[in-house]
Amino acid sequence: MQLIYKIEFNSTNLYFKYIIENLIKQSGINATCKQYKGFILIVLEETAQAIEDFFAVLEKKLPLSIFIGKSYVVESFDESLEELKDFEIKQNLSLLTNDEIKEIIQNNQIDFLNDIVKISKGGISRFETHNGLKDLFLPNKKIREDFENKGYEVKLLITDTSKLEEIFDINIKDFQLLCSIERPLVKLKFKVLRNTDKEFSSSNFIYAKIPDDKETVLFAQALKQNGISYILYVNDEVYQDGLKITYTKEQNLIIHGDKGLFPKYDFVANKKYNSSKEYFDDNGGVYESLLAKVAKKTIPTVGVYFSQNSTDSSISINIPKKGLKKIIAIPNIHNSIKNCFEEISEIDEHCERLITNYSKKFPKVLKTDVPSNTNGFESIINMCAKVLLIDTSKEFEDMALNTSLTSGIQIDMKLVNLDGINYLDYRRVVQSMMAYKMADVDNVTLVYSFYESLSEFICNYVNEIAKEISAKDVVFCGNMFANSILLSKTNKTLSKTYNIILPKEYPLDY
């Protein structure tokens, strides 16, 4: 009998097909595996019992993937479709199936005693992985802060997944993503009584992952055998950033990163790309490259590219034969509390009075340094954080994500026209935060309300713009949409009227 099994797969990279082909070969079954744009087919010509046995093998040995969608039997498929070509592009990805991990551990003996002794005594081990150098250390507030002050991001390596629920509030989706073949970084939330001394993170969240190459598998095994179930690390000199992943009910989203994704052959551009930056730069940016990917360049669309770190965040439109046009821009502000207060004072006499009263109540804020090397939304969020007496934009966002609130209060999100361009008036955003702070509204409510109000800002203007150009498609991109409050609220509102497009194969941002 013939059976055709379809696996939705949102990547044109071929490594998952190779894993399936290897399982077919091991099983000795009469089957072929073919990959097309958007899906993989397994075509079996076998007895019912042999097919049943093979699916038992798939269930046991086929790993998860961040690109996998639904899987189901189909009666037929369009045989005229062109199978994806193999350009033999080598990727920086170790295919760590369960069998491969067992083989690595059984067939390799490396003495990590010196590293483990050093780490156990509170030191830092400099460790070479397949992807470059990492510094590893036990959870320690001082060491963590020292690295962060130097500009490093501190992440968590999990050496024993059976201990995850001891320190994290983790759901099945988080666990599946952690264990997927791409080994991405997943943002996990600490349990209430964990991280009380901020030894892991400055907030209640941290990006974590499990071992992703031979060297790290062996080191993690040695750490586990010595009772170390998790360890902090920073990338010192690595070749590619690891993939950061989040998700909606409908799909997984790559926030950032290149490891395991690039180099890559893009079948729309018919070109090989070595990094996300190279891909986005070559295709006109994140919004325009996504339009090309989903074949929407020839119809009117509204695009919301909101990025934490880009200088180019905006709400734009795509008009056939006319191209892209920015409708609302996000300003790149001067990173100075003093300058911000001066600009707010210039709005009107009420704002001038607010600045005077706020400065008397919170005199230390004016002396606070704001990170100078930020742009766009990160600069605006940093400013909001400082007037709420929160240290960083990261802590601001994580505080919002940590709450159980479902609705907040209105933060002013208005436009100001400068030199013929409509900008989000950041002064009103910060001024609104300050006014509520003076009224003793708690920080948790305010940080949550920032993202809720930004969602309302997006929805209101997208509706207005889309009606004007008769657009039915709305694109979300940029790493601001990695925030689950902003994404879920915006998606819930606009998806009632529009087709929402999010990237499936590429990251949300550079």
Side-chain angles (χ1 to χ4, degrees):
M1 63 175 286
Q2 184 185 71
L3 185 141
I4 306 172
Y5 192 62
K6 183 176 182 179
I7 302 172
E8 294 175 358
F9 195 72
N10 296 314
S11 173
T12 54
N13 288 338
L14 300 174
Y15 55 84
F16 207 69
K17 176 192 172 188
Y18 299 152
I19 293 173
I20 295 172
E21 287 178 334
N22 191 45
L23 291 175
I24 289 172
K25 184 178 179 181
Q26 289 177 17
S27 301
I29 193 168
N30 185 20
T32 57
C33 182
K34 301 180 179 182
Q35 186 167 347
Y36 302 87
K37 185 180 178 182
F39 63 94
I40 293 172
L41 288 182
I42 305 175
V43 182
L44 302 106
E45 297 278 359
E46 271 290 0
T47 64
Q49 184 60 53
I51 291 173
E52 184 179 337
D53 292 344
F54 178 67
F55 274 93
V57 171
L58 285 185
E59 185 177 355
K60 182 180 179 181
K61 294 192 173 185
L62 187 63
L64 297 167
S65 170
I66 61 173
F67 297 110
I68 260 190
K70 297 175 182 177
S71 302
Y72 42 88
V73 174
V74 294
E75 292 186 2
S76 61
F77 70 98
D78 185 356
E79 297 190 30
S80 67
L81 288 174
E82 187 175 354
E83 202 174 341
L84 295 182
K85 295 177 182 176
D86 185 353
F87 289 93
E88 298 184 354
I89 295 173
K90 185 171 178 58
Q91 292 168 318
N92 182 18
L93 180 67
S94 300
L95 300 181
L96 294 178
T97 61
N98 289 338
D99 288 345
E100 179 68 19
I101 291 170
K102 288 177 184 176
E103 186 178 330
I104 288 171
I105 293 172
Q106 288 171 0
N107 297 333
N108 293 273
Q109 297 295 324
I110 300 177
D111 185 1
F112 293 106
L113 182 60
N114 289 338
D115 294 286
I116 292 172
V117 168
K118 190 173 186 179
I119 289 169
S120 299
K121 290 182 176 180
I124 302 168
S125 172
R126 191 167 170 81
F127 181 73
E128 186 166 1
T129 72
H130 187 70
N131 191 41
L133 292 168
K134 293 179 180 176
D135 296 309
L136 300 100
F137 54 98
L138 289 175
N140 180 295
K141 182 179 180 181
K142 184 181 184 306
I143 297 176
R144 172 184 65 76
E145 289 181 341
D146 285 346
F147 274 115
E148 289 174 344
N149 290 336
K150 294 174 185 175
Y152 290 102
E153 180 182 9
V154 177
K155 299 181 277 279
L156 188 75
L157 176 68
I158 300 157
T159 65
D160 187 351
T161 55
S162 69
K163 305 293 186 182
L164 274 169
E165 292 186 341
E166 293 182 6
I167 57 171
F168 294 114
D169 285 327
I170 188 169
N171 60 40
I172 187 64
K173 182 64 176 179
D174 293 328
F175 190 78
Q176 288 173 341
L177 288 175
L178 281 170
C179 297
S180 63
I181 196 71
E182 293 83 9
R183 297 293 194 264
L185 288 152
V186 181
K187 195 171 194 175
L188 300 182
K189 181 181 178 181
F190 289 102
K191 284 185 176 294
V192 174
L193 298 179
R194 292 291 186 169
N195 194 41
T196 53
D197 296 326
K198 305 296 183 185
E199 67 272 31
F200 287 92
S201 171
S202 60
S203 73
N204 207 33
F205 294 85
I206 194 168
Y207 273 104
K209 72 181 304 174
I210 65 175
D212 60 357
D213 59 26
K214 174 183 173 181
E215 296 83 2
T216 314
V217 164
L218 292 169
F219 192 31
Q221 178 69 7
L223 290 167
K224 178 180 174 181
Q225 289 172 346
N226 282 270
I228 299 174
S229 302
Y230 34 79
I231 191 165
L232 295 177
Y233 75 93
V234 298
N235 290 332
D236 195 337
E237 297 176 13
V238 295
Y239 310 125
Q240 291 180 306
D241 288 339
L243 299 183
K244 288 183 175 178
I245 301 290
T246 188
Y247 54 90
T248 66
K249 289 181 180 179
E250 293 78 24
Q251 70 175 83
N252 297 326
L253 292 168
I254 304 171
I255 302 168
H256 172 80
D258 287 352
K259 189 175 184 296
L261 187 60
F262 291 92
K264 179 181 181 63
Y265 190 87
D266 186 84
F267 287 86
V268 174
N270 289 319
K271 184 176 177 181
K272 175 188 170 184
Y273 292 102
N274 292 304
S275 68
S276 54
K277 184 179 188 309
E278 183 182 334
Y279 172 73
F280 288 133
D281 284 349
D282 193 53
N283 288 277
V286 182
Y287 173 37
E288 193 164 1
S289 65
L290 184 51
L291 286 179
K293 196 71 188 169
V294 296
K296 295 287 184 179
K297 277 196 166 185
T298 57
I299 59 174
T301 61
V302 180
V304 185
Y305 173 60
F306 277 11
S307 173
Q308 282 234 36
N309 46 326
S310 174
T311 59
D312 205 32
S313 291
S314 66
I315 299 178
S316 304
I317 58 174
N318 174 63
I319 302 294
K321 297 182 181 179
K322 293 185 179 180
L324 266 61
K325 180 181 179 182
K326 286 185 184 179
I327 304 301
I328 298 169
I330 305 304
N332 293 292
I333 66 173
H334 187 42
N335 292 305
S336 160
I337 287 285
K338 182 181 178 182
N339 183 78
C340 175
F341 281 15
E342 288 174 355
E343 290 190 345
I344 292 172
S345 295
E346 292 169 359
I347 296 175
D348 56 38
E349 62 182 24
H350 300 293
C351 291
E352 185 178 6
R353 195 177 307 119
L354 171 66
I355 293 297
T356 300
N357 293 335
Y358 178 92
S359 299
K360 288 178 181 178
K361 188 172 182 178
F362 304 106
K364 291 183 180 179
V365 172
L366 261 174
K367 300 175 183 177
T368 305
D369 290 329
V370 180
S372 59
N373 58 341
T374 63
N375 298 296
F377 271 109
E378 187 173 4
S379 293
I380 294 170
I381 295 172
N382 273 331
M383 211 65 71
C384 291
K386 294 302 182 183
V387 300
L388 298 185
L389 312 182
I390 299 170
D391 284 341
T392 66
S393 59
K394 176 181 179 296
E395 291 174 48
F396 180 98
E397 179 180 19
D398 286 352
M399 185 181 291
L401 296 173
N402 197 39
T403 180
S404 57
L405 291 175
T406 56
S407 64
I409 54 181
Q410 187 65 50
I411 304 298
D412 286 345
M413 300 272 178
K414 298 179 179 179
L415 297 182
V416 60
N417 190 284
L418 300 172
D419 299 324
I421 300 172
N422 287 317
Y423 290 94
L424 169 66
D425 191 346
Y426 95 97
R427 303 170 305 166
R428 291 289 188 183
V429 180
V430 180
Q431 172 256 323
S432 185
M433 288 281 194
M434 296 171 73
Y436 283 123
K437 184 71 174 176
M438 289 290 290
D440 295 323
V441 177
D442 64 278
N443 280 356
V444 171
T445 298
L446 290 175
V447 295
Y448 178 89
S449 300
F450 172 87
Y451 292 101
E452 182 181 59
S453 297
L454 184 59
S455 171
E456 291 172 1
F457 172 85
I458 294 170
C459 293
N460 291 338
Y461 283 105
V462 164
N463 262 320
E464 185 179 320
I465 295 164
K467 286 176 183 176
E468 190 171 326
I469 65 171
S470 300
K472 299 296 181 186
D473 297 283
V474 176
V475 171
F476 294 162
C477 51
N479 56 18
M480 282 292 288
F481 285 107
N483 180 285
S484 58
I485 302 167
L486 180 64
L487 178 56
S488 62
K489 286 185 174 291
T490 311
N491 187 53
K492 183 179 179 181
T493 300
L494 292 179
S495 62
K496 296 172 184 176
T497 309
Y498 306 100
N499 172 40
I500 303 300
I501 299 169
L502 284 156
K504 293 181 177 181
E505 189 176 345
Y506 288 98
L508 279 167
D509 215 340
Y510 285 77

